[in-house]
Amino acid sequence: MTRALLIALLFAACGAAGAQSIYRWVDAQGKIHYTSEPPPGTRKEQVRPRVNSYAAPAETRPSVAPPQPRAAAAGPVVMYATSWCTYCARARAYFGRKGIAYTEHDVEKSATANAEFKRLGGRGVPLIVVGREKMNGFSEQGFDALLARASR
């Protein structure tokens, strides 16, 4: 019980420390400073951190397994994904086990891939496209059905 309380207090303290504001201020010589507290009497401006995750070049991962004949006949398999997505990892593993050739675009690292993902109506990852057919999310049965529809 005591250990659980100690851990809870530790997490609460870490959360409070991480939630501190960052201030940008300019001293009399015009030098810009970033601190947790500006000195009194200076013009202060709270900084809102922004992360631009689309600045990196497009990342594609072609598969190394020989293509499965049925998948090759259906058209190219393209997956719009992220590195942290669990369902994306399941799709990668399934494609590897089945020898399905695919191209992967990371929508967080490529502005072009993100724009194409949105154009295709993507709302969540993975978005898998085979020919003219598309699938949001991933399940083995769903992908097999998608492949069958795309092969017609």
Side-chain angles (χ1 to χ4, degrees):
M1 178 69 177
T2 306
R3 183 176 178 168
L5 181 60
L6 181 61
I7 291 172
L9 289 172
L10 180 64
F11 280 122
C14 289
Q20 277 187 330
S21 296
I22 299 174
Y23 293 92
R24 177 182 180 267
W25 56 275
V26 182
D27 64 16
Q29 288 77 32
K31 186 174 179 183
I32 299 172
H33 299 270
Y34 292 92
T35 60
S36 59
E37 289 293 323
T42 60
R43 188 176 134 242
K44 62 184 178 182
E45 170 186 337
Q46 187 172 1
V47 175
R48 303 245 186 249
R50 293 181 301 219
V51 177
N52 181 3
S53 61
Y54 303 116
E59 178 181 315
T60 59
R61 296 183 198 170
S63 66
V64 292
Q68 186 182 35
R70 191 177 87 182
V77 177
V78 179
M79 180 168 69
Y80 296 88
T82 61
S83 60
W84 50 264
C85 167
T86 312
Y87 289 100
C88 302
R90 289 180 188 170
R92 286 183 204 105
Y94 182 73
F95 296 159
R97 280 195 317 272
K98 295 292 186 172
I100 298 171
Y102 70 100
T103 301
E104 180 176 341
H105 299 286
D106 192 318
V107 299
E108 289 185 327
K109 293 182 179 175
S110 166
T112 306
N114 187 273
E116 183 67 10
F117 171 76
K118 288 178 180 175
R119 189 190 69 75
L120 291 167
R123 293 189 196 151
V125 287
L127 172 65
I128 301 171
V129 180
V130 180
R132 293 184 177 185
E133 300 290 327
K134 63 183 178 179
M135 170 185 189
N136 289 300
F138 178 76
S139 72
E140 293 180 5
Q141 298 82 6
F143 179 76
D144 290 340
L146 174 76
L147 208 51
R149 284 193 314 271
S151 296
R152 293 184 205 156

